[in-house]
Amino acid sequence: MPVLALVGLAAIGLPRVILHDLHIIDSAHPLSWILTLGAVAVWVAVTVARKAPRPFLTVLTIGVIFGIMLVITHQILWGYLYADNPEFLNNDGIAGNVSRLAVIPGGLFAGAALGAVGGLIAWGIRTVLRRDRTRP
């Protein structure tokens, strides 16, 4: 799959991140779950429909790209994300930078985890579809 397509598919997950960082929805809100799982469902559907030769790796890559976008979005919207905690937000110096750096591994892991789960689902679907075509 072209790199631009992978980036575009990863970007489908950004609306939930932006809405969460701007405090429009919280993590437990049903819309948050719909946007998260819907993005992964689109990743899987496109990967299966395009008959990607390595569906697990394809969706995992989309998830990792999403994780990078997630981290960048959190950094850009940092002021909104912690607007209700001014002591945390105004923590300059080493402590403030450590806080900003500390969210990076979590964001990358979240994207990779979504990609891995979606990749397993895509791989399973492709395996079943291949078996069905080979049966008489």
Side-chain angles (χ1 to χ4, degrees):
M1 198 175 301
V3 173
L4 190 56
L6 298 173
V7 171
L9 286 167
I12 291 171
L14 286 180
R16 190 218 62 86
V17 177
I18 293 167
L19 291 172
H20 176 264
D21 285 3
L22 295 177
H23 300 283
I24 296 171
I25 60 172
D26 64 14
S27 298
H29 194 279
L31 182 59
S32 180
W33 286 96
I34 291 168
L35 291 173
T36 300
L37 298 176
V40 177
V42 171
W43 302 349
V44 170
V46 170
T47 300
V48 170
R50 291 194 51 127
K51 298 179 182 169
R54 295 181 189 93
F56 175 79
L57 185 59
T58 300
V59 180
L60 176 63
T61 302
I62 295 167
V64 169
I65 294 169
F66 169 71
I68 294 166
M69 292 176 168
L70 171 68
V71 168
I72 291 168
T73 303
H74 280 333
Q75 295 300 318
I76 291 170
L77 297 176
W78 190 262
Y80 294 101
L81 184 60
Y82 293 106
D84 58 345
N85 190 350
E87 293 82 25
F88 181 80
L89 189 58
N90 294 329
N91 197 352
D92 294 332
I94 293 173
N97 290 328
V98 168
S99 299
R100 288 187 90 130
L101 292 174
V103 301
I104 294 173
L108 296 175
F109 178 78
L114 284 172
V117 170
L120 285 172
I121 293 168
W123 173 80
I125 292 170
R126 287 280 293 146
T127 301
V128 168
L129 291 176
R130 281 189 207 136
R131 285 187 190 151
D132 286 348
R133 271 194 275 143
T134 59
R135 290 186 180 167

